[in-house]
Amino acid sequence: MLRLFAPWIAPIIGLGFVLALAFAFFTPRDPVTMLPSVSVARGGFHEEPRDIHYSFAGPFGRYDNRQLQRGFQVYKEVCSACHSMRLVAFRDLEQIGFSKPEVKAIAKNWAVETPSINPDTGEPATRKPLPSDTIPPPYPNETAARAANNNALPPDMSLLAKAREGGPAYIASLVTGYAAVPAAMHRKFPDFQVPAGLHYNPYFANLTIAMPPPLAADGQVSYSDGTKASKEQMAEDVSAFLMWAAEPKLDNRKRTGVAVVLYLLIATGLAYAAYRNIWAGKKH
């Protein structure tokens, strides 16, 4: 009996594998559906990120160093109280227009000191950060971070702009998107309640987020270049800075891409000219 069905075993297994792949490919895999309040979010109250134009958008876009410096100021004065940037060193800030003395002063005056070891006793100690140090986290460990944030863990911001769908536009929309629960939601979902310690935000996946509104009012940061610090301006600036932190080589990559395209166009033209010259006057 086994010999009778043996020729069909491999095709059946292969067909099952193909069907599994097809099911995985065509079935929507949305992590939002695994979160609470999905029925509410899918009820039309979840909003997509705002359409924001950034200077680095498009194939020829470039980072605006003045905006990146303003964004760093927002991160330093607002976001760094809860969020770390473990992959960014102070000396990296030279790439966005800060001078070496400015970077040295930023590191020296940072609110949190860098963990170190006392060379005399071998005991744990702290010291003022150096330009070569990465930005120190605001909390010594995850337990302390959760204890200070209602058991929520603030994510590291080093790669946040690349890790979130919607990128910097999502971040800018999220930090300015806090609002009261719409009356229409109460009518459509009478049982919906914002849990204690959370906040309603239509840009977040399940509409409720543990982070309090970070940008509470216009003028929360005083820009050194005189730019008016509206909530929208601060949100766009800090999201642009986080995009640079996640992809600092973006400008170089685009310049390289343009150079490669131009090279290929020229090479194609020369190859075509050589082809016409070699085969000129010859019958096919």
Side-chain angles (χ1 to χ4, degrees):
M1 182 65 69
L2 183 60
R3 294 177 60 185
L4 180 63
F5 289 100
W8 298 95
I9 292 178
I12 291 174
I13 294 175
L15 179 61
F17 183 71
V18 170
L19 291 176
L21 286 178
F23 178 80
F25 182 79
F26 290 105
T27 301
R29 303 296 298 170
D30 190 350
V32 172
T33 60
M34 305 299 293
L35 299 173
S37 306
V38 169
S39 60
V40 177
R42 292 308 190 196
F45 294 98
H46 176 68
E47 297 185 18
E48 296 298 323
R50 295 185 287 115
D51 185 15
I52 301 175
H53 175 72
Y54 290 96
S55 64
F56 50 81
F60 301 103
R62 296 289 184 269
Y63 285 128
D64 180 353
N65 279 355
R66 292 182 60 186
Q67 182 181 44
L68 299 184
Q69 291 178 17
R70 293 195 303 267
F72 170 71
Q73 186 177 350
V74 176
Y75 167 75
K76 176 185 177 183
E77 298 184 19
V78 179
C79 308
S80 66
C82 296
H83 295 273
S84 59
M85 293 194 77
R86 299 178 184 273
L87 302 181
V88 179
F90 287 105
R91 62 185 176 190
D92 294 335
L93 298 175
E94 295 178 23
Q95 300 177 24
I96 62 175
F98 287 107
S99 65
K100 289 183 181 296
E102 287 175 330
V103 170
K104 187 176 181 179
I106 290 172
K108 182 179 179 180
N109 297 322
W110 198 256
V112 181
E113 293 191 338
T114 297
S116 182
I117 298 295
N118 188 319
D120 298 325
T121 65
E123 296 294 327
T126 59
R127 59 170 174 78
K128 292 290 184 181
L130 300 173
S132 57
D133 291 325
T134 56
I135 296 177
Y139 305 106
N141 51 52
E142 179 179 335
T143 302
R146 289 187 181 278
N149 292 277
N150 196 27
N151 203 39
L153 180 63
D156 182 85
M157 284 188 157
S158 304
L159 303 176
L160 196 64
K162 298 288 288 184
R164 296 294 186 267
E165 183 178 0
Y170 165 75
I171 296 173
S173 301
L174 181 73
V175 297
T176 57
Y178 293 82
V181 179
M185 175 175 289
H186 287 305
R187 290 194 298 268
K188 189 171 183 179
F189 302 96
D191 297 333
F192 175 78
Q193 297 290 336
V194 177
L198 301 184
H199 307 270
Y200 177 78
N201 193 316
Y203 294 101
F204 199 62
N206 64 343
L207 306 183
T208 56
I209 184 172
M211 180 176 67
L215 301 177
D218 294 343
Q220 187 171 341
V221 172
S222 297
Y223 285 140
S224 57
D225 65 357
T227 301
K228 183 178 179 181
S230 65
K231 289 196 294 185
E232 290 73 18
Q233 183 67 56
M234 290 185 289
E236 293 181 19
D237 291 344
V238 73
S239 61
F241 169 72
L242 294 179
M243 181 63 187
W244 167 81
E247 196 167 0
K249 303 298 184 182
L250 179 66
D251 285 356
N252 292 338
R253 182 166 59 81
K254 288 184 178 182
R255 281 194 291 267
T256 301
V258 170
V260 169
V261 170
L262 292 176
Y263 169 80
L264 292 176
L265 289 175
I266 294 173
T268 301
L270 292 175
Y272 180 72
Y275 162 79
R276 294 295 302 269
N277 183 61
I278 293 172
W279 291 98
K282 294 182 172 59
K283 296 182 178 180
H284 294 283

